[in-house]
Amino acid sequence: MDALEMTGRRVFVRVDFNVPLKDGIVQEDTRIRATLPTLKQALDKGAKLVLGSHLGRPKGRRRPELSLAPVAERLSEHLGKPVGFCGETVGDTVDREVGKLANGEMLLLENLRFYPGETDNDADFARRLSTTAELYVNDAFGTAHRAHASTNGMVRHFKQAAAGVLMEKELHYLDMALTDPPHPFTAMLGGAKVSDKIEVVRSLLEKVDRLLIGGGMAYTFLRARGLPTGKSLVEEDKVELAKNLLEEAGEKLVLPLDHIVASKFDAEAEHRVMPISEIPDGWMGLDIGPETVAAYGDQIRAAKMILWNGPMGVFEMEPFAKGTVALAEVIAASDGTSVVGGGDSVAAVHQAGVADRITHISTGGGASLEFLAGEKLPGVEVLTDA
Ligand code: ADP
Ligand code: MG
């Protein structure tokens, strides 16, 4: 983005303003704040900004409750200057409003997904979007894994396209993990399902020194080891795959030593710490135990780079949050480069109160997983081409 000559030029910035709304009020504005560096830089350079975003899943129809109008207001508060809002996304009204922009002014367009052409990556919709500007900047890492009109199709119409500040930061840290990680490099993966992350496990096993497994996904691996798993989350159809991965990975792939088992999936359930080889019939494992926290903590403390995706337990319930919170604290205290991705993991980092001590918190759950799995992101590839 630094390389673009923006003064007096119309710049389309694809932002991610997909924030939670309730009764027309923005409930949480992390994503709005995350784009401020990009927007400020462009405004300081005297660009005329045209902002495009999606919000929710309107499925190609105009849904007033998913209008971006409240977002324009909130953005305006953060920037301390007016943010124009246009009730349309493409067409004559848009062209007229954009034409009125002076240097350093901006206009937010209505929800891109009110038009089916957005998610269809429709050629005509993409072309019409592209006529709003002379330069293109993508700062919406969270949708970079989707080939939509605003992230992919329209970009082909620009001679120059660039990554915004946030996008660049995301790519910098995730790319570091895959191409040039400082060693020891430890990854910690958890969350609900193995099937969501199997490609990430595969890809990371080639890069890391240690891959620590926790959360629900540990149980498919434990079953593959022949251990009893009770009613824990096991994906039967992935047990064979887990077996192969364990064999290939050897001691790189690390499983929990102990766990917190509960009589049912309930915050009030009876629960206790047990060695990983034990679980009462009909009970389920809902968190890693203290020995595992200590062992994983040692690996994290020794690492120069740490990548974490997926909670170590059902952290939404207080009795099963200890493992996740304790290791979030260890990651935060580490001198190494720490990168955390995934919606729930990021929520856990905030719950633990350590967000400001993480090197990079990824804003894109799905996009970061696809990137880490080694896939090309259509929203990034097209920038590279430009
Ligand atoms: P992220 O959003 O960080 O990528 P996931 O969506 O993959 O993470 O997984 C998060 C979910 O996994 C949480 O809702 C959490 O309660 C659940 N989870 C973690 N450990 C377990 C477990 N042992 N059993 C069942 N669910 C679990
Ligand atoms: Mg999640």
Side-chain angles (χ1 to χ4, degrees), residues 53-272:
S53 177
H54 71 287
L55 195 159
R57 297 174 187 271
K59 305 236 168 84
R61 286 185 303 119
R62 192 166 276 277
R63 295 255 310 270
E65 71 277 19
L66 294 178
S67 170
L68 280 164
V71 172
E73 257 173 66
R74 181 63 65 90
L75 177 61
S76 160
E77 285 164 24
H78 282 297
L79 287 169
K81 52 165 77 184
V83 176
F85 177 73
C86 182
E88 312 281 324
T89 312
V90 289
D92 294 343
T93 315
V94 173
D95 294 342
R96 214 170 28 248
E97 296 290 313
V98 171
K100 286 191 217 153
L101 288 175
N103 295 4
E105 288 186 348
M106 73 204 117
L107 180 72
L108 174 61
L109 304 179
E110 184 54 286
N111 195 338
L112 288 156
R113 292 194 188 163
F114 282 0
Y115 300 73
E118 166 64 358
T119 52
D120 292 346
N121 201 7
D122 175 73
D124 187 54
F125 182 68
R127 188 194 52 74
R128 289 166 75 203
L129 266 181
S130 74
T131 61
T132 58
E134 294 142 287
L135 295 168
Y136 175 91
V137 170
N138 192 341
D139 212 24
F141 177 73
T143 45
H145 59 315
R146 306 272 182 240
H148 291 169
S150 67
T151 59
N152 183 265
M154 75 180 286
V155 190
R156 302 176 192 285
H157 294 277
F158 291 87
K159 283 207 194 71
Q160 286 185 303
V165 178
L166 175 63
M167 173 76 93
E168 189 185 343
K169 188 168 176 246
E170 292 273 9
L171 295 174
H172 171 75
Y173 284 109
L174 294 174
D175 195 54
M176 184 195 287
L178 290 192
T179 58
D180 189 23
H183 289 274
F185 174 22
T186 295
M188 183 162 91
L189 281 183
K193 294 206 226 139
V194 192
S195 52
D196 289 343
K197 295 176 185 176
I198 208 84
E199 292 309 321
V200 180
V201 172
R202 249 191 234 294
S203 152
L204 284 180
L205 275 174
E206 289 172 23
K207 317 285 178 186
V208 298
D209 300 291
R210 282 284 182 276
L211 181 56
L212 314 173
I213 303 275
M217 71 185 278
Y219 290 92
T220 301
F221 287 99
L222 294 167
R223 172 71 66 81
R225 278 257 165 93
L227 295 172
T229 50
K231 281 218 167 108
S232 308
L233 206 61
V234 173
E235 288 174 275
E236 295 291 351
D237 58 333
K238 296 287 181 273
V239 172
E240 216 30 58
L241 189 70
K243 239 181 225 166
N244 295 339
L245 282 170
L246 283 168
E247 231 160 72
E248 283 165 38
E251 60 184 29
K252 252 192 200 183
L253 210 158
V254 186
L255 296 178
L257 301 167
D258 58 349
H259 53 173
I260 298 183
V261 295
S263 58
K264 55 182 184 212
F265 193 84
D266 191 313
E268 308 293 317
E270 191 188 336
H271 58 274
R272 63 179 84 124

Side-chain angles (χ1 to χ4, degrees), residues 13-42:
V13 187
R14 176 53 161 103
V15 287
D16 180 357
F17 287 163
N18 183 24
V19 294
L21 282 181
K22 198 170 166 239
D23 303 327
I25 294 167
V26 176
Q27 302 295 301
E28 208 281 320
D29 65 1
T30 307
R31 286 186 169 149
I32 298 176
R33 284 183 283 114
T35 60
L36 294 177
T38 297
L39 302 183
K40 281 183 180 153
Q41 185 179 327

Side-chain angles (χ1 to χ4, degrees), residues 342-345:
D344 293 293
S345 314

Side-chain angles (χ1 to χ4, degrees), residues 190-193 196-197 214-217 219 232-233 265 285-287 309-317 324 341-346 365 369:
K193 294 206 226 139
D196 289 343
K197 295 176 185 176
M217 71 185 278
Y219 290 92
S232 308
L233 206 61
F265 193 84
L286 296 183
D287 194 10
N309 171 279
M312 295 289 101
V314 183
F315 73 101
E316 299 94 332
M317 299 181 193
T324 302
D344 293 293
S345 314
V346 172
L369 283 180

